[in-house]
Amino acid sequence: MLIVFPYQSGNYPIPNPYYRYMPQRQYYNPYSDTRWLWWHYPIESQGSYRFSPPQQLTFVLVHGSWADAHFWDGVAAELRSQGHTVYTPEYAGHGADPNKNVTHAMITKSVVDYIKQLNLHDIVLVGHSFGGTVIQKVAEQVPDRIKRLVFWDAFVLKDGESLADELPPQTRQGFEQLRTMSKDDTIMLPFELFRALFVNTASTEDAKLFYKSVSPEPAKPLFEKLDLKVFYALPTPKSYVYFYQDNVLPQGEGYGWNPHMSTRLGLFRLIVGDGDHFTDTRTRPAYLALKIYEASRD
């Protein structure tokens, strides 16, 4: 039986104690409910609040590993309900594509072709997890079509790195073992690992439900080293959304999402939330939609 220990126990940074915490299952529509508006909009001199509608944006949402485009269904519906335009492309080796023998370049091309075929411009390109490496490469090819890049608990690789280079040694070794055990060069997460790292705030019942949508991930793109010199020369505005209960990477000891990954973006906007890596796309899509909108607006 394979047991993967993703990282050693230790003391990791706690979230900002002044951040407004919103408990699981206790949230409101983030755009229309007045209980949201009152603490987001400034007060007029007469004591009344200034209400302004959300800026209308065009989003392209790029999922990560062990997921497909349906990962975004709830979030996309929330954003569309507020008048935004939302696209959720599928990329090579995922969804209905039976071919798992794909490269990172093939995945990138899927998203680039999607954007070009639909003639999309002025888009907010959002990447989650592995999707961060995808939007890094997509941005190199269609920079004139992108308004802003948003990374949600996503990998921001340095030039010449692979995603695997950013994993703790125990996690990388576990992935390599799982890859060797597969018959088609994929990695399938055992439920125990998925439960502990990806949906750690979910109930056991929800975790089992989420796991039904998990499929084997093509391994090759996770170990490919990427040339990102062009990306690091782009002036495109960037944001990072960090959920501090995300347990996929240890926070500290040279790993983690923020500040380890986020500060590589140079000048960037930071938006903080309280969820984990997967759960909130299903249980709190309005909350996640709000965080993505906050990261994306002017």
Side-chain angles (χ1 to χ4, degrees):
M1 178 180 179
L2 175 70
I3 301 177
V4 181
F5 297 94
Y7 49 84
Q8 299 294 332
S9 61
N11 296 319
Y12 302 108
I14 62 173
N16 184 340
Y18 299 104
Y19 177 73
R20 178 188 170 108
Y21 175 72
M22 187 175 293
Q24 282 278 65
R25 306 183 189 283
Q26 298 181 31
Y27 65 96
Y28 306 101
N29 185 310
Y31 299 108
S32 62
D33 192 292
T34 56
R35 285 165 290 192
W36 178 82
L37 293 169
W38 73 261
W39 58 273
H40 273 73
Y41 289 105
I43 301 175
E44 298 279 14
S45 58
Q46 296 85 357
S48 60
Y49 293 96
R50 285 205 307 270
F51 299 115
S52 58
Q55 178 187 2
Q56 300 304 293
L57 300 169
T58 299
F59 293 94
V60 176
L61 308 179
V62 179
H63 65 82
S65 298
W66 297 286
D68 59 25
H70 290 296
F71 177 82
W72 294 111
D73 284 354
V75 176
E78 290 290 341
L79 291 170
R80 289 174 184 135
S81 74
Q82 302 304 319
H84 303 295
T85 302
V86 186
Y87 299 92
T88 56
E90 190 59 270
Y91 51 72
H94 296 73
D97 185 359
N99 179 27
K100 300 297 183 181
N101 185 26
V102 297
T103 65
H104 199 285
M106 291 167 65
I107 289 172
T108 300
K109 185 177 185 299
S110 300
V111 180
V112 170
D113 288 350
Y114 182 95
I115 291 170
K116 289 182 175 179
Q117 288 168 7
L118 293 177
N119 196 27
L120 303 181
H121 290 272
D122 203 32
I123 63 174
V124 177
L125 185 60
V126 181
H128 174 243
S129 195
F130 168 76
T133 74
V134 179
I135 70 171
Q136 282 185 281
K137 293 303 293 182
V138 170
E140 292 184 338
Q141 298 188 39
V142 289
D144 57 322
R145 296 173 181 262
I146 299 172
K147 176 183 179 67
R148 180 177 286 271
L149 293 168
V150 177
F151 297 77
W152 168 39
D153 283 357
F155 288 89
V156 181
L157 299 184
K158 295 185 291 187
D159 178 43
E161 270 194 326
S162 70
L163 182 149
D165 292 333
E166 288 291 341
L167 299 176
Q170 299 93 328
T171 303
R172 177 166 181 157
Q173 291 167 12
F175 281 4
E176 289 171 343
Q177 291 178 50
L178 291 168
R179 183 182 187 182
T180 301
M181 292 165 58
S182 76
K183 297 179 180 179
D184 56 356
D185 197 27
T186 60
I187 298 171
M188 182 59 186
L189 294 175
F191 174 74
E192 293 77 11
L193 185 64
F194 177 75
R195 172 72 174 112
L197 301 188
F198 287 70
V199 290
N200 45 291
T201 68
S203 67
T204 301
E205 294 73 19
D206 283 345
K208 290 178 179 177
L209 181 62
F210 301 155
Y211 189 67
K212 291 180 180 179
S213 66
V214 175
S215 59
E217 178 69 16
K220 189 183 303 181
L222 306 182
F223 291 85
E224 289 183 76
K225 295 185 181 296
L226 304 182
D227 183 333
L228 291 163
K229 296 180 182 63
V230 174
F231 172 79
Y232 282 104
L234 295 176
T236 312
K238 304 171 183 70
S239 297
Y240 203 95
V241 179
Y242 168 50
F243 275 16
Y244 61 74
Q245 287 167 290
D246 190 326
N247 204 33
V248 167
L249 293 178
Q251 301 304 303
E253 301 182 1
Y255 300 102
W257 303 119
N258 179 65
H260 180 68
M261 295 286 178
S262 61
T263 53
R264 295 174 178 181
L265 298 175
L267 181 65
F268 73 101
R269 180 186 303 167
L270 177 65
I271 301 296
V272 178
D274 71 313
D276 65 25
H277 202 64
F278 265 34
T279 303
D280 296 280
T281 60
R282 302 282 187 91
T283 62
R284 298 195 297 173
Y287 178 70
L288 177 54
L290 165 62
K291 294 302 177 181
I292 291 174
Y293 173 75
E294 287 179 337
S296 305
R297 66 190 176 192
D298 289 340

